[in-house]
Amino acid sequence: MPQLSIVTVYPRDGGVGISITETRAKFKNLLRDPAARTGVARRLVVGFLVFEGKAELTHSGNTDPETLRLARRHIFSATTRRRSADWDQYDRVAAADKRVAMILRPEHIYGSALARMREALAK
């Protein structure tokens, strides 16, 4: 079954970046079938967007430790819009959580905020 959870996302590499963990069903399902759908809604903005496409996963099974460490840091900074006060501690927590950097490159986008997104991209 498709997995659904509330996540924080950020624009990245022509797609949407998300942090997930290797221990959850979402990760295991995406390894089996990378087709994904992510809904995005923002406070104070009317509307929502849904991105459908293939998930690209950067995790401990396919990435060298240094690249994964930096990808995890990037996710943290982008989604929280801040830097960690202690990157070494963050690295330990992210490794213990088995954090995964997921990029969803949309093949199809729809939602009530689509016209607004197109206007913003045209500027």
Side-chain angles (χ1 to χ4, degrees), residues 85-107:
D86 184 342
W87 281 118
D88 291 334
Q89 178 185 6
Y90 173 80
D91 292 339
R92 287 189 298 276
V93 170
D97 284 351
K98 298 187 178 223
R99 286 274 146 203
V100 174
M102 176 182 144
I103 304 296
L104 175 64
R105 296 190 198 289
E107 297 166 359

Side-chain angles (χ1 to χ4, degrees), residues 19-69:
S19 176
I20 63 175
T21 63
E22 290 182 21
T23 57
R24 304 259 169 75
K26 181 187 321 310
F27 173 74
K28 294 169 185 161
N29 287 340
L30 288 169
L31 283 178
R32 183 175 36 80
D33 180 1
R37 179 179 297 136
T38 298
V40 178
R42 294 192 56 165
R43 287 180 291 163
L44 306 175
V45 175
V46 176
F48 68 94
L49 293 171
V50 177
F51 298 88
E52 293 181 347
K54 301 288 184 207
E56 297 172 11
L57 304 171
T58 302
H59 58 90
S60 65
N62 71 355
T63 306
D64 70 86
E66 180 63 9
T67 301
L68 181 56
R69 183 180 70 83

Side-chain angles (χ1 to χ4, degrees), residues 68-80:
L68 181 56
R69 183 180 70 83
L70 294 175
R72 288 171 171 159
R73 285 183 177 194
H74 182 78
I75 286 173
F76 176 84
S77 294
T79 58
T80 64

Side-chain angles (χ1 to χ4, degrees), residues 49 113-123:
L49 293 171
L114 186 57
R116 226 180 241 150
M117 183 189 80
R118 287 185 174 144
E119 289 171 11
L121 290 173
K123 293 180 182 181

